[in-house]
């Protein structure tokens, strides 16, 4: 059969006429095709083939027109069809034109009649002494204006008052009056006094609504058909042109068909197709012929039935026929196949496939399909196996979409219901929920539950229960093996867990149970239970194996979520330990702050408030790009470094330079170790506020600029030079000095507050400006307003926010003197500071302060340079400062027994809380702080 179909190329009657395979050649049995073979200059071999080659070019059109061949008959048939179509089109056009004209005539008659009937004076004229004298001129004028054939006004008895022909006035109206007398509008076609016509009759009503007369308007049939008759010549011309074009096209098609059929007569073509149809429709096997490009060339009735192919399947690629992928792969491969079984829809088909060009036929394959009825039982099992495989595949996709232990457990329960069980529960150890190792205790917590109904008498979600030693859950947790209880009503050991609740479960209708330990490696995290109530059959061993595989896949995701929870908790704990828990006491700034971690992961945002010498305060905000332990640890290192560098009282630009060098060294060390990623994108803003001068010196390294709220409530973003982020190296950092009025609020923040996926930083800054303008006067109000109105619902990055309201140190709490470079001036300094302390009420500190200043001023006179200046500040502490132009810093050292000096700084260190040195652009400052009494 394959050889016959492959060589003949006969097509199924399902294929629309005129289509044929690109490589198929058709010939009837017994009709041989002679192929021209080149010889030494001779004609093509075979007399018949040679004769046909010579005859076709000269007599092709004549043979087509003769009607003796298939091409001729097709030509005649096409011409007849075109003629019929033209005649039908002309008739349809005429009828449509007349119908449209009739409809237009009815509509126009009704409109004219109603307009005249409702015209002012019509009803009054009907009740006058001579209605015709009044209405006849009006009717004729309206008739000519509206181009109708007549407008007739009559009384309720049908006697005309108007008519285009005056001799008809006073005679009876021809038509139906009853509907109009009843108050309705009537249209009808009649044979009237003017001939066949279409007329409308409408009532004329008096003011009280009574019908006092009738108005009729109409158009004759001759006028209706005139438009259609005028269109007829154009329609006939178009029809003639269409017939000529169709005839020419049909002749070309017939000539092409004549060449393709090789001059076969109707008898030969009929016999060929009869044999073709007999084979294809009688055989009880599906037959497919597929071209070498994968296009379906032929499919018989049985193939359509077995494969459920669409009616237009032939001519389409096999992959577009909604067949299973393995079947498509076999049909499109072109390989030889013998009795290969494929599951197609609900049938198991045995497929045999052979090539069609093995004996000179066109390239392609022919496949036969046989329905294997004896394998139906196997098909059922295969379907069940496929459903189980699909569920396992869905488990790999649907379970573990988040790194949350509870959500992962819920996904497992939701997947199992109702595809596998009617109810599913997941019970975990409490330590697993918090990310820890499973406990040896028998106490579990119901973490997730899903069911076909909500009223099942099972432990609710969140309830903690302790399992007894005799129940299957205990054995499963100990051995790690699943257990099945086919009939719960007979399982006495299972009922021992809770006799009352177990009885309720059985009474509810739950009759079968599978319990699978949730095991990840050697750890047992909990137990998963599958309950059945609707399906009468109990769980069997095959279903237990499926449940075990399903839980095994989910256990990996739950363990991953547990590990992530543990690492996340550790990272959060590390991050919290590295951030400041309380702010240091100081009087220069009133500060409020907020720190909000990102929704996922632990970030590297940080902040600090650092008291400096001279009643100054440093504010620092930084950000390490990234999340996780590495970002948190790097943040801790940078924060510690800032603490150390600030103790040196460095200017902001120098501190950022040292921090930049530190980040570069961290990058180099981690690159060499190749154990973690380098610090990329670390930014920092460092500001120092002096309450005496009210100057704030700010420098930033790749960080967003600060915001400044003036005492009047206006907001601005000071122009702080934007230096590159930390770690790039090679470029200096710049600072700017801002003179802040008392009560100003300085707002420092990280980029998580002004940047997200929906808008860039410019939009975020503008939104921040609007929020700050609405904020209250206190720093707490400002923080609350900013976070309530500006923070995204789910921030993707950490947010650190500091709002500092400035205070100024009163001028009466600052004392300052110039000291001559003369050792005798030390006594004057002691007298001067004694008077100042007495004015401040700090007489208890007079002795120690005189001693401290004597030592510091003496050292400045001896080792420093002119000018020398002393400043005393009365703040939270008593601060003494000695300025000189030298850059030499004193250091504590042990004096030898023979040394005359070298012991003064020991005294200063013993008498003060803190002391130190800071450098200025013109020299240095030696400072010392004492506690207030």
């Amino acid at each position: 059969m394959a050889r016959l179909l492959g060589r003949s190329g006969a097509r199924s009657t399902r294929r629309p006429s005129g289509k044929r395979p690109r490589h198929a050649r058709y010939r009837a049995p017994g009709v041989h095709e002679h192929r021209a073979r080149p010889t030494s200059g001779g004609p093509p071999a075979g007399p018949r083939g040679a004769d046909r080659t010579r005859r076709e070019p000269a007599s092709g059109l004549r043979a087509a027109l003769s009607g003796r061949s298939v091409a001729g008959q097709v030509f005649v048939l096409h011409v007849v069809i075109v003629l019929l179509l033209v005649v039908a089109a002309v008739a349809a056009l005429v009828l449509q034109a007349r119908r449209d004209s009739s409809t237009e005539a009815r509509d126009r008659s009704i409109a004219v009649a109603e307009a005249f009937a409702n015209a002012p004076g019509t009803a009054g004229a009907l009740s006058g002494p001579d209605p015709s004298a009044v209405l006849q001129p009006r009717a004729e004028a309206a008739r000519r204006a509206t181009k109708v054939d007549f407008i007739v006004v009559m009384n309720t008895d049908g006697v005309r008052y108007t008519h285009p022909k005056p001799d008809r006035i006073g005679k009876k109206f021809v038509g139906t009056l009853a509907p109009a007398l009843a108050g309705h509008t009537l249209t009808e076609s009649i044979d009237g006094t003017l001939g066949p016509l279409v007329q409308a009759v409408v009532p004329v009503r008096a003011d009280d609504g009574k019908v006092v007369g009738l108005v009729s308007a109409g158009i004759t049939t001759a006028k209706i058909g005139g438009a259609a008759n005028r269109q007829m010549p154009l329609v006939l011309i178009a029809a003639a042109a269409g017939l000529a074009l169709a005839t020419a096209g049909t002749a070309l098609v017939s000539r092409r068909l004549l060449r393709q059929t090789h001059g076969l007569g109707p008898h030969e073509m009929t016999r060929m197709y009869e044999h073709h149809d007999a084979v294809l429709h009688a055989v009880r096997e599906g037959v497919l012929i597929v071209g070498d490009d994968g296009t379906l060339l032929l499919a018989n009735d049985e193939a359509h039935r077995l494969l459920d192919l669409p009616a237009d399947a032939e001519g389409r690629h096999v992959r577009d026929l909604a067949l299973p992928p393995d079947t498509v792969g076999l049909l499109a491969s072109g390989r030889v196949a013998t009795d290969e079984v494929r599951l197609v829809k609900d049938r198991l088909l045995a497929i045999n496939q052979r090539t069609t060009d093995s004996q000179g036929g066109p390239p392609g394959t022919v496949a036969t399909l046989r329905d294997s009825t004896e394998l139906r039982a196997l098909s059922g099992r295969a379907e069940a196996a496929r459903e189980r495989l699909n569920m396992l595949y869905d488990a790999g996709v649907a379970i573990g979409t988040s790194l949350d232990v509870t959500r992962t457990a819920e996904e497992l329960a939701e997947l199992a219901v109702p595809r596998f069980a009617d109810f599913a529960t997941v019970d975990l150890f409490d330590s697993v929920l918090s990310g820890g190792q499973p406990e040896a205790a028998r106490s579990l917590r119901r973490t997730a539950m899903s069911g076909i109904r909500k009223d099942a008498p099972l432990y609710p979600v969140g309830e903690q229960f302790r399992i007894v030693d005799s129940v299957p859950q205990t054995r499963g947790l100990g051995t790690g093996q699943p257990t099945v209880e086919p009939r719960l009503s007979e399982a006495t050991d299972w009922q021992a867990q809770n006799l009352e609740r177990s009885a309720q479960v059985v009474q509810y209708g739950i009759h079968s149970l599978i319990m699978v330990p949730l095991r990840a490696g050697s750890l047992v995290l909990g137990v998963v239970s599958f309950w059945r109530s609707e399906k009468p059959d109990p769980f069997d061993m095959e279903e237990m194996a499926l449940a075990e595989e399903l839980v095994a896949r989910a256990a990996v995701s739950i363990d991953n979520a547990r590990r992530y929870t543990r690492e996340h908790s550790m990272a959060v704990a590390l991050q919290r330990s590295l951030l400041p828990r309380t702010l240091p006491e100081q009087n220069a700034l009133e500060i409020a702050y907020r720190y909000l971690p990102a929704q996922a992961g632990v970030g590297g945002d940080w902040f600090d408030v650092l008291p400096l010498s001279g009643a100054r305060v440093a504010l620092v905000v930084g950000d390490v790009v990234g999340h996780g332990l590495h970002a948190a640890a790097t943040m801790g290192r940078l924060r510690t470094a800032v603490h150390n560098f600030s103790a040196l009282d460095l200017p902001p630009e120098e501190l950022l330079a040292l921090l930049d060098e530190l980040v570069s060294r961290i990058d180099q060390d981690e690159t060499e170790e190749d154990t973690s990623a380098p610090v990329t994108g670390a930014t920092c803003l460092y500001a120092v506020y002096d309450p005496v001068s009210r100057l704030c010196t700010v420098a930033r390294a790749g960080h967003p600029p600060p915001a400044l709220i003036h005492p009047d409530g206006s907001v601005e973003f000071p122009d702080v030079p934007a230096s590159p982020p930390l770690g790039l190296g090679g470029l200096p950092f710049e600072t700017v000095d801002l003179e802040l009025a008392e009560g100003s609020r300085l707002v420092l923040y990280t980029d998580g507050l002004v940047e997200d996926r929906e808008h860039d930083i410019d939009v975020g800054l503008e939104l921040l400006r609007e929020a700050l303008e609405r904020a209250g006067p206190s720093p707490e109000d400002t923080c609350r307003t900013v976070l309530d109105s500006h923070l995204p619902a789910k921030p993707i990055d950490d947010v650190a926010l500091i709002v500092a309201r400035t205070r100024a140190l009163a001028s009466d709490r600052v004392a300052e003197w110039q000291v001559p470079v003369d050792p005798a001036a030390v006594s004057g300094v002691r007298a001067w500071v004694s008077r100042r302390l007495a004015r401040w009420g700090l007489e208890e500190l007079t002795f120690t302060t005189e001693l401290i200043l004597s030592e510091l001023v003496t050292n400045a006179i001896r080792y420093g340079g002119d000018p020398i200046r002393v400043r005393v500040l009365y703040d939270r502490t008593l601060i003494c400062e000695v300025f000189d132009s030298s850059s030499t810093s004193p250091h504590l050292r042990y004096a030898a027994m023979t040394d005359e000096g070298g012991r003064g700084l020991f005294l200063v260190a013993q008498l003060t809380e803190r002391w130190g040195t800071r450098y200025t652009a013109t020299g240095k400052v030696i400072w010392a702080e004492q506690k207030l009494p």
Side-chain angles (χ1 to χ4, degrees):
M1 181 188 301
R3 180 179 178 184
L4 172 63
L5 294 175
R7 291 182 60 83
S8 68
R11 306 179 59 83
S12 169
T13 55
R14 287 179 176 270
R15 179 180 302 280
S17 61
K19 297 181 181 178
R20 60 179 297 167
R22 185 172 53 185
H23 301 290
R25 293 170 295 182
Y26 297 85
R27 60 178 181 270
V31 180
H32 299 281
E33 178 183 15
H34 295 271
R35 301 175 182 172
R37 297 180 180 177
T39 60
S40 58
R48 182 175 178 180
D51 180 69
R52 183 174 299 159
T53 303
R54 292 191 300 269
R55 186 176 67 239
E56 283 185 3
S59 60
L61 184 59
R62 185 169 59 254
L65 297 176
S66 67
R68 291 192 296 270
S69 65
V70 174
Q73 293 178 357
V74 170
F75 173 75
V76 174
L77 178 62
H78 282 189
V79 171
V80 172
I81 291 174
V82 170
L83 284 174
L84 291 177
L85 292 175
V86 170
V87 172
V90 171
L93 287 173
V94 171
L95 293 177
Q96 180 67 26
R98 290 188 176 181
R99 188 178 69 82
D100 293 344
S101 299
S102 179
T103 302
E104 181 184 358
R106 290 175 182 271
D107 294 341
R108 192 193 305 176
S109 298
I110 293 175
V112 173
E114 289 183 344
F116 196 86
N118 297 321
T122 301
L126 288 173
S127 61
D130 191 1
S132 295
V134 177
L135 297 176
Q136 175 68 7
R138 297 181 183 179
E140 286 303 298
R143 180 182 64 81
R144 288 189 293 270
T146 57
K147 297 182 180 180
V148 296
D149 288 316
F150 68 88
I151 297 178
V152 174
V153 183
M154 69 200 83
N155 59 15
T156 56
D157 295 329
V159 177
R160 299 188 186 100
Y161 290 143
T162 65
H163 196 277
K165 296 180 180 180
D167 59 339
R168 306 296 172 88
I169 297 175
K171 297 182 180 180
K172 195 73 172 181
F173 177 75
V174 179
T176 304
L177 302 180
L181 292 174
H184 304 293
T185 299
L186 169 70
T187 59
E188 59 182 347
S189 299
I190 65 169
D191 190 3
T193 58
L194 299 179
L197 52 86
V198 175
Q199 66 182 9
V201 182
V202 300
V204 179
R205 300 179 184 272
D207 295 338
D208 57 358
K210 181 180 179 182
V211 176
V212 298
L214 305 174
V215 176
S216 175
I219 302 175
T220 60
T221 306
K223 183 176 292 186
I224 295 175
N229 295 332
R230 289 191 297 271
Q231 295 175 359
M232 184 60 66
L234 179 61
V235 173
L236 293 177
I237 293 173
L243 177 61
L245 291 175
T247 302
T250 302
L252 294 176
V253 172
S254 300
R255 182 184 180 94
R256 178 70 177 272
L257 182 59
L258 178 66
R259 289 198 302 269
Q260 292 180 347
T261 57
H262 300 286
L264 294 178
H267 177 70
E268 293 173 316
M269 296 292 293
T270 300
R271 185 176 62 175
M272 182 182 69
Y273 278 105
E274 286 176 350
H275 291 176
H276 168 272
D277 291 341
V279 172
L280 290 182
H281 296 294
V283 69
R284 296 307 301 167
E285 288 186 351
V287 178
L288 298 175
I289 297 180
V290 181
D292 60 340
D293 59 350
T295 302
L296 179 63
L297 304 179
L298 181 144
N300 69 343
D301 295 345
E302 186 69 5
H304 274 268
R305 185 183 69 85
L306 294 177
L307 299 178
D308 193 20
L309 297 177
D312 59 346
E314 297 175 354
R316 296 169 59 180
H317 199 280
V318 292
R319 64 170 172 264
D320 300 330
L321 301 179
L323 298 176
D326 55 347
T327 304
V328 172
L330 174 60
L331 296 177
S333 65
R335 63 180 177 85
V336 175
T338 302
D339 288 334
E340 293 193 10
V341 179
R342 294 288 187 273
L343 178 62
V344 180
K345 303 294 173 62
D346 57 346
R347 295 184 176 90
L348 278 175
L349 302 181
I351 303 178
N352 291 275
Q353 184 167 272
R354 298 291 185 272
T355 60
T356 58
D357 56 357
S358 58
Q359 298 184 8
T365 57
V366 57
T368 59
L369 314 173
R370 185 176 69 254
D371 190 1
S372 301
T373 55
E374 66 276 8
L375 299 178
R376 288 180 180 175
L378 178 61
S379 175
R381 291 195 295 272
E383 179 66 22
R386 185 180 66 172
E387 174 59 24
R388 293 174 181 178
L389 289 175
N390 288 340
M391 187 166 64
L392 292 177
Y393 171 78
D394 293 342
V397 175
I399 299 176
T401 58
S402 66
L403 291 174
D404 183 79
V405 176
T406 301
R407 180 56 194 154
T408 306
E410 292 172 351
E411 291 169 347
L412 169 59
E414 292 168 359
L415 177 70
V417 177
R419 299 172 64 176
F420 180 68
D422 297 323
F423 300 92
T425 59
V426 181
D427 306 318
L428 301 177
F429 294 107
D430 279 339
S431 58
V432 174
L433 295 174
S434 59
Q437 295 283 350
E439 301 171 349
R442 301 295 185 191
S443 181
L444 294 171
R445 185 175 297 278
R446 180 61 47 87
T447 306
M449 181 174 69
S450 179
I452 58 176
R453 293 186 296 274
K454 301 296 185 181
D455 57 347
L458 302 172
Y459 288 120
V461 174
E463 183 168 340
Q464 188 176 19
F465 58 93
R466 183 177 181 83
I467 56 176
V468 300
D469 295 337
S470 61
V471 298
Q473 289 96 321
T474 303
R475 297 194 299 271
L477 290 174
T479 63
Q481 299 300 318
T483 58
V484 58
E485 293 290 348
R487 296 173 179 82
L488 291 179
S489 59
E490 303 173 3
T492 56
D493 54 351
W494 168 78
Q495 296 177 9
Q497 170 65 33
N498 189 321
L499 294 177
E500 181 181 358
R501 188 177 291 273
S502 299
Q504 294 174 356
V505 170
V506 174
Q507 185 179 3
Y508 184 78
I510 298 177
H511 60 83
S512 189
L513 167 66
I514 293 178
M515 292 165 291
V516 184
L518 196 64
R519 186 176 59 188
S522 61
L523 300 178
V524 177
L525 309 177
V527 63
V528 182
S529 302
F530 302 98
W531 314 77
R532 174 171 288 176
S533 64
E534 295 293 327
K535 187 177 179 181
D537 298 333
F539 285 117
D540 54 25
M541 299 305 295
E542 290 186 1
E543 290 172 319
M544 186 179 72
L546 174 62
E548 186 177 11
E549 179 67 22
L550 182 64
V551 173
R553 297 195 178 199
V556 176
S557 298
I558 292 179
D559 188 52
N560 289 339
R562 178 188 67 84
R563 294 173 182 269
Y564 171 79
T565 301
R566 181 184 62 188
E567 294 180 0
H568 181 71
S569 300
M570 293 172 57
V572 170
L574 173 62
Q575 183 187 40
R576 294 296 185 186
S577 66
L578 295 176
L579 291 173
R581 299 184 180 180
T582 59
L583 296 182
E585 296 181 353
Q586 45 82 31
N587 288 342
L589 298 171
E590 179 186 353
I591 296 177
Y593 68 93
R594 296 289 190 276
Y595 183 85
L596 298 178
Q599 291 292 320
V602 176
D605 291 14
W606 53 283
F607 65 94
D608 241 325
V609 178
L610 306 172
L612 302 178
S613 63
R616 297 172 305 130
V617 177
L619 300 176
V620 58
V621 176
D623 183 10
V624 177
V625 175
H627 295 85
L629 287 173
H630 177 67
T634 304
M635 176 267 288
R637 298 168 73 176
L638 296 181
R639 180 170 178 258
T640 302
V642 170
H643 269 266
N644 295 332
F645 294 153
S646 65
L648 301 177
D649 253 333
L650 298 175
E653 68 275 13
E654 295 184 16
L655 186 143
L656 290 182
L658 294 176
L659 204 61
D660 178 67
E661 184 179 353
L662 173 64
V663 172
S664 298
R665 288 202 303 270
I666 293 175
D667 286 347
Q668 293 175 1
D669 295 341
E670 293 182 346
T671 303
E672 292 175 0
E673 295 176 2
D674 197 21
T675 57
S676 59
V679 181
T680 57
T683 65
C684 184
L685 185 147
Y686 189 80
V688 177
Y689 174 70
D690 188 350
V692 177
S693 62
R694 293 185 288 103
L695 285 180
C696 182
T697 304
V698 186
R700 63 185 178 115
H703 204 80
L708 179 61
I709 307 176
H710 295 283
D712 60 358
S714 60
V715 179
E716 70 167 321
F717 292 93
D719 186 13
V720 180
S723 302
L726 301 175
L728 298 183
L731 296 175
F733 295 93
E734 300 181 59
T735 62
V736 64
D737 290 332
L738 306 175
E739 184 174 354
L740 306 181
E742 187 174 6
S744 301
R745 282 167 287 167
L746 189 65
V747 181
L748 309 181
Y749 52 90
T750 55
D751 58 359
L753 185 67
V754 294
E755 285 185 333
D756 59 25
R757 297 173 181 173
E758 298 180 357
H759 53 72
D760 57 17
I761 190 171
D762 293 334
V763 177
L765 292 176
E766 186 60 31
L767 294 175
L768 177 61
R769 178 196 300 273
E770 296 174 359
L772 294 176
E773 290 174 347
R774 299 192 305 269
S778 69
E780 280 293 336
D781 292 339
T782 305
C783 287
R784 187 181 309 109
T785 301
V786 169
L787 294 186
D788 290 346
S789 62
H790 193 68
L791 187 67
K794 293 184 178 180
I796 59 176
D797 196 4
D798 295 6
V799 174
L801 173 65
I802 300 179
V803 179
R805 184 164 62 181
T806 61
R807 297 168 178 163
L809 190 61
S811 59
D812 59 351
R813 291 198 168 205
V814 179
E816 188 173 1
W817 303 271
Q818 292 288 336
V819 180
V821 185
D822 184 0
V826 175
S827 60
V829 171
R830 289 196 297 268
W832 165 81
V833 75
S834 297
R835 293 191 298 271
R836 177 61 65 173
L837 293 180
R839 185 184 304 174
W840 287 343
L842 301 177
E843 289 86 353
E844 297 181 18
L845 300 179
T846 301
F847 175 74
T848 57
T849 304
E850 290 180 352
L851 185 59
I852 292 170
L853 285 180
S854 296
E855 179 62 29
L856 296 181
V857 171
T858 301
N859 285 341
I861 294 174
R862 181 177 298 179
Y863 305 109
D866 191 35
I868 299 173
R869 182 165 52 92
V870 174
R871 188 173 71 170
V872 180
L873 306 178
Y874 178 19
D875 194 37
R876 297 182 64 88
T877 60
L878 185 65
I879 305 171
C880 299
E881 298 179 332
V882 177
F883 298 77
D884 66 72
S885 60
S886 172
S887 60
T888 304
S889 176
H891 298 281
L892 284 176
R893 63 182 181 85
Y894 289 101
M897 294 296 295
T898 59
D899 290 341
E900 296 182 1
R903 299 172 181 83
L905 287 181
F906 279 99
L907 292 175
V908 173
Q910 292 297 321
L911 296 175
T912 61
E913 285 292 315
R914 297 191 307 159
W915 75 279
T917 305
R918 72 172 182 269
Y919 293 93
T920 65
T922 58
K924 69 176 183 298
V925 179
I926 309 297
W927 56 270
E929 293 183 4
Q930 301 177 74
K931 276 187 177 182
L932 297 178

